[in-house]
C-alpha cells in the first residue's frame, strides 16, 4: 500500500516537473545536445526516492514544493543527477539541488571557448607550485609537481581549463577550502552523503 502511494506521488511530481519543463521550452530555454529531459526526471525521481524524500513529500507540503523546485533547478541547468552531475540535499524540510564537480565540468564544456577540463588532487609532500602571470593577472604555469605521487595526507586539488585558443586557466583549492565548501551542507560528515 505504501509503495502504491509512493509510486502515485512520483508520477504526480514527474507530471508537474514535465509541465514546468514544457513551459520553459515555450519561453525559449534550449536544452544542450545530448540532454534527455525525460531520462533526467526519471533519474531524479530514483535519487529522491532512494533518499526517502518522495516519501517525506507525501506528508509535508514544504518538502513537496522544494522537491519540485530542486528538480526544476536541475532541469534548467540541463544536468542529470543519475550521471552524478548534482545531488539532492535535504536541509530540514526543504530539498535543494546542488551541482557537483561533474555538473560544473559538464556546463563548462558546453561553452564554445572551452576545449577540455582536467582536475587533479595533490598531497602534503607533493604540493604544486604555480607561477603568477602579472600581465593577465592569472596563474600561468605550474612547476615541481609529480601527478603520479600520492600519499595519505590530501592537501588540495586544482583544475586546468584548456581553451580552444591554446590558453588555459588554473583554479586551485586547498584542503581547508574544500572542507569549507563541503561544510555548507547541513549533512556534512554523515556517511550517507559521502557514499552518494
Amino acid at each position: 500500500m505504501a509503495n502504491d502511494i509512493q509510486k502515485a506521488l512520483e508520477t504526480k511530481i514527474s507530471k508537474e516537473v514535465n509541465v514546468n519543463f514544457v513551459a520553459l521550452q515555450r519561453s525559449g530555454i534550449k536544452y544542450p545536445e545530448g540532454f534527455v529531459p525525460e531520462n533526467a526526471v526519471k533519474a531524479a525521481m530514483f535519487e529522491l526516492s532512494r533518499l526517502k524524500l518522495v516519501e517525506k513529500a507525501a506528508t509535508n507540503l514544504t518538502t513537496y514544493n522544494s522537491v519540485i523546485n530542486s528538480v526544476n533547478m536541475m532541469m534548467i541547468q540541463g544536468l542529470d543527477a543519475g550521471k552524478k552531475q548534482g545531488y539532492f540535499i535535504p536541509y530540514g524540510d526543504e530539498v535543494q539541488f546542488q551541482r557537483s564537480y561533474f555538473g560544473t565540468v559538464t556546463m563548462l564544456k558546453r561553452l564554445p571557448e572551452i576545449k577540455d577540463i582536467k582536475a587533479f588532487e595533490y598531497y602534503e609532500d607533493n604540493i604544486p607550485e604555480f607561477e603568477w602571470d602579472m600581465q593577465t593577472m592569472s596563474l600561468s604555469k605550474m612547476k615541481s609537481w609529480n601527478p603520479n605521487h600520492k600519499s595519505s595526507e590530501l592537501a588540495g586539488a586544482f583544475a586546468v581549463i584548456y581553451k580552444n585558443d591554446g590558453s588555459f586557466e588554473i583554479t586551485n583549492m586547498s584542503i581547508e577550502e574544500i572542507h569549507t565548501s563541503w561544510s555548507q551542507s547541513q549533512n556534512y560528515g554523515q556517511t550517507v552523503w559521502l557514499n552518494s
Side-chain angles (χ1 to χ4, degrees):
M1 181 73 163
N3 210 8
D4 291 339
I5 293 169
Q6 183 169 338
K7 290 279 185 211
L9 188 61
E10 284 180 30
T11 301
K12 183 179 177 187
I13 291 170
S14 294
K15 283 182 181 176
E16 195 164 331
V17 167
N18 283 323
V19 166
N20 293 337
F21 161 69
V22 170
L24 289 171
Q25 283 188 310
R26 285 187 183 141
S27 68
I29 285 192
K30 303 256 188 262
Y31 285 100
E33 191 176 317
F35 178 71
V36 182
E38 296 80 10
N39 291 348
V41 170
K42 286 178 187 171
M45 294 315 300
F46 175 79
E47 289 298 317
L48 289 161
S49 294
R50 187 179 65 79
L51 297 169
K52 308 274 190 243
L53 294 170
V54 172
E55 189 176 297
K56 187 173 182 179
T59 59
N60 187 313
L61 185 60
T62 301
T63 303
Y64 178 85
N65 289 331
S66 70
V67 162
I68 301 245
N69 290 336
S70 64
V71 175
N72 285 337
M73 185 57 64
M74 179 193 75
M75 299 292 285
I76 289 168
Q77 296 178 65
L79 297 176
D80 187 331
K83 295 179 179 177
K84 302 296 183 201
Q85 294 171 346
Y87 303 100
F88 295 100
I89 301 176
Y91 292 91
D93 286 340
E94 295 193 4
V95 180
Q96 293 180 6
F97 178 76
Q98 185 172 331
R99 188 173 61 228
S100 69
Y101 163 78
F102 300 110
T104 300
V105 167
T106 298
M107 291 184 76
L108 283 171
K109 284 185 172 183
R110 291 174 183 157
L111 298 173
E113 66 269 19
I114 304 296
K115 182 177 182 179
D116 200 8
I117 301 166
K118 300 283 185 205
F120 305 91
E121 59 193 26
Y122 57 87
Y123 295 83
E124 286 293 344
D125 56 351
N126 185 36
I127 296 176
E129 293 177 38
F130 299 104
E131 192 170 290
W132 187 257
D133 184 335
M134 294 304 284
Q135 288 183 331
T136 62
M137 297 303 288
S138 64
L139 292 168
S140 62
K141 66 180 173 178
M142 177 179 50
K143 44 189 181 169
S144 72
W145 178 67
N146 176 358
N148 297 317
H149 177 80
K150 297 187 184 330
S151 64
S152 61
E153 293 298 319
L154 186 66
F158 67 93
V160 181
I161 302 170
Y162 300 93
K163 298 183 178 180
N164 286 322
D165 66 3
S167 65
F168 64 91
E169 291 181 24
I170 300 172
T171 60
N172 181 49
M173 287 182 85
S174 68
I175 192 66
E176 291 79 17
E177 290 170 317
I178 292 169
H179 283 297
T180 298
S181 174
W182 286 349
S183 70
Q184 301 305 309
S185 166
Q186 188 180 41
N187 300 299
Y188 174 62
Q190 295 182 17
T191 55
V192 66
W193 303 111
L194 297 177
N195 293 332
S196 59

